[in-house]
Amino acid sequence: MANFPIINLEKLNGEERALTMLQIKDACENWGFFELVNHSIPHELLDTVERLTKEHYKKCMEQRFKELVASKGLENANSEIKDMDWESTFFLRHLPQSNIAEIPDLSDEYSKVMKEFAQKLEKLAEELLDLLCENLGLEKGYLKKAFYGSKGPNFGTKVSNYPPCPKPDLIKGLRPHTDAGGIILLFQDDKVSGLQLLKDGQWVDVPPMRHSIVINLGDQIEVITNGKYKSVEHRVIAQPQGTGRMSIASFYNPGNDAVIYPAPTLLEKEAVEKKQVYPKFVFDDYMKLYAILKFQAKEPRFEAMKEMETEVPIATI
């Protein structure tokens, strides 16, 4: 199997721009995932985010997780647990309005650092969306506009820790799923692996690399590209020992009232060779369905949206 795609973003500024764009195109078409190095987010900031995230887990969340495990009897499980994940998480919302001030136990330093980190990730997400537009032959800014809705995009961060698990064969760190939204930017532990994606029927490790940002595409990109780029199933394997794994996933998603549908120019180009036409729908309606069916196949979600689509007006982009 081909090596997991690693993209050096610095090379977009030099003679290797065309080759780098080709690498991004191949990653989007054949993997749904790629890993960015030299992405312009300062290494010092990433180191601080990692340190403060691990300190916050130890101080504020580790004991709660142990109590949850004990209350559910997970350590004594004898058969596979299919309705829970071995993870400790909290969520930060950045756009359209931040909720960081409302999250309990966040130190002033941690709040400030996560706001700065989110601003840099938002900028990177929008740069990446334009690179996707360029490769797809869409006008610059098309995807950002498609995501915008009336109040701008949704952007938020899921901060996860995956403690050592005594029964990793019976419970996943995070069960297999595709991501519902747009583009996902992941800053993960560089020492503890666990993230895997499904490629050609096999689970493939996403390699942990220091100071990298892992990118994956969500269901909305699949719809807008009419399947040219696909969201890919992925999971997190629980680890039996060690210090546990840190994962900070930021989701740049459409606004709640954004209307999502295949880009008309892509339909025109592919009309002869590809019959598949994805539905049009309001993003919030998709998310309501996803909340119930997250850990099931995405195709029935698309079919359910197709049944609703006659009621959805298309906004002009």
Side-chain angles (χ1 to χ4, degrees), residues 129-148:
L129 288 177
D130 277 344
L131 293 175
L132 266 57
C133 285
E134 187 177 334
N135 270 336
L136 289 162
L138 297 170
E139 65 185 68
K140 186 176 181 179
Y142 182 93
L143 289 170
K144 185 180 176 182
K145 286 180 193 171
F147 282 19
Y148 203 80

Side-chain angles (χ1 to χ4, degrees), residues 205-249:
D205 289 325
V206 176
M209 286 177 61
R210 188 155 177 77
H211 298 138
S212 73
I213 301 289
V214 175
I215 306 299
N216 72 284
L217 307 178
D219 294 348
Q220 308 312 304
I221 296 289
E222 179 167 338
V223 172
I224 293 171
T225 64
N226 196 41
K228 189 174 181 66
Y229 295 170
K230 287 187 167 63
S231 59
V232 170
E233 199 171 345
H234 53 284
R235 68 183 185 183
V236 176
I237 297 297
Q239 304 292 348
Q241 56 201 14
T243 56
R245 177 177 181 271
M246 177 206 75
S247 161
I248 303 174

Side-chain angles (χ1 to χ4, degrees), residues 20-36:
T20 306
M21 290 299 291
L22 202 59
Q23 290 172 336
I24 294 171
K25 179 175 182 285
D26 179 72
C28 290
E29 289 181 352
N30 297 308
W31 289 82
F33 269 77
F34 52 95
E35 199 153 0
L36 294 179

Side-chain angles (χ1 to χ4, degrees), residues 23-264:
Q23 290 172 336
I24 294 171
K25 179 175 182 285
D26 179 72
C28 290
E29 289 181 352
N30 297 308
W31 289 82
F33 269 77
F34 52 95
E35 199 153 0
L36 294 179
V37 295
N38 296 323
H39 43 62
S40 80
I41 298 178
H43 291 179
E44 298 78 15
L45 177 59
L46 295 175
D47 290 340
T48 304
V49 167
E50 180 173 356
R51 174 177 63 82
L52 293 174
T53 298
K54 290 181 174 179
E55 286 175 4
H56 178 267
Y57 173 74
K58 279 284 182 193
K59 182 181 176 185
C60 303
M61 301 188 72
E62 187 174 40
Q63 186 57 36
R64 280 183 229 162
F65 183 77
K66 287 178 179 175
E67 290 167 3
L68 173 70
V69 166
S71 70
K72 299 281 187 184
L74 297 180
E75 288 180 326
N76 302 316
N78 296 313
S79 58
E80 187 176 0
I81 298 166
K82 296 183 177 179
D83 61 351
M84 277 194 69
D85 302 304
W86 191 268
E87 64 172 358
S88 169
T89 66
F90 66 95
F91 295 85
L92 300 175
R93 188 175 65 249
H94 312 301
L95 295 174
Q97 290 181 312
S98 172
N99 73 342
I100 289 182
E102 301 160 23
I103 304 295
D105 306 324
L106 290 193
S107 69
D108 290 344
E109 182 188 14
Y110 193 24
S111 297
K112 183 181 175 186
V113 164
M114 290 306 280
K115 282 181 184 174
E116 182 185 354
F117 185 45
Q119 287 167 352
K120 293 192 181 301
L121 284 173
E122 179 191 348
K123 184 168 177 275
L124 179 58
E126 292 178 351
E127 288 172 8
L128 288 168
L129 288 177
D130 277 344
L131 293 175
L132 266 57
C133 285
E134 187 177 334
N135 270 336
L136 289 162
L138 297 170
E139 65 185 68
K140 186 176 181 179
Y142 182 93
L143 289 170
K144 185 180 176 182
K145 286 180 193 171
F147 282 19
Y148 203 80
S150 62
K151 297 178 182 174
N154 281 305
F155 186 48
T157 296
K158 176 186 176 187
V159 181
S160 304
N161 282 274
Y162 298 93
C165 177
K167 301 279 180 77
D169 52 329
L170 298 181
I171 185 167
K172 297 286 184 291
L174 182 59
R175 287 162 282 169
H177 64 286
T178 63
D179 288 327
I183 191 165
I184 299 87
L185 305 93
L186 170 70
F187 175 43
Q188 66 169 348
D189 206 300
D190 67 315
K191 298 178 184 67
V192 185
S193 62
L195 177 61
Q196 297 181 327
L197 64 94
L198 191 63
K199 179 167 171 58
D200 303 327
Q202 291 185 304
W203 288 105
V204 178
D205 289 325
V206 176
M209 286 177 61
R210 188 155 177 77
H211 298 138
S212 73
I213 301 289
V214 175
I215 306 299
N216 72 284
L217 307 178
D219 294 348
Q220 308 312 304
I221 296 289
E222 179 167 338
V223 172
I224 293 171
T225 64
N226 196 41
K228 189 174 181 66
Y229 295 170
K230 287 187 167 63
S231 59
V232 170
E233 199 171 345
H234 53 284
R235 68 183 185 183
V236 176
I237 297 297
Q239 304 292 348
Q241 56 201 14
T243 56
R245 177 177 181 271
M246 177 206 75
S247 161
I248 303 174
S250 295
F251 300 82
Y252 189 100
N253 290 348
N256 288 359
D257 63 353
V259 180
I260 303 300
Y261 55 93

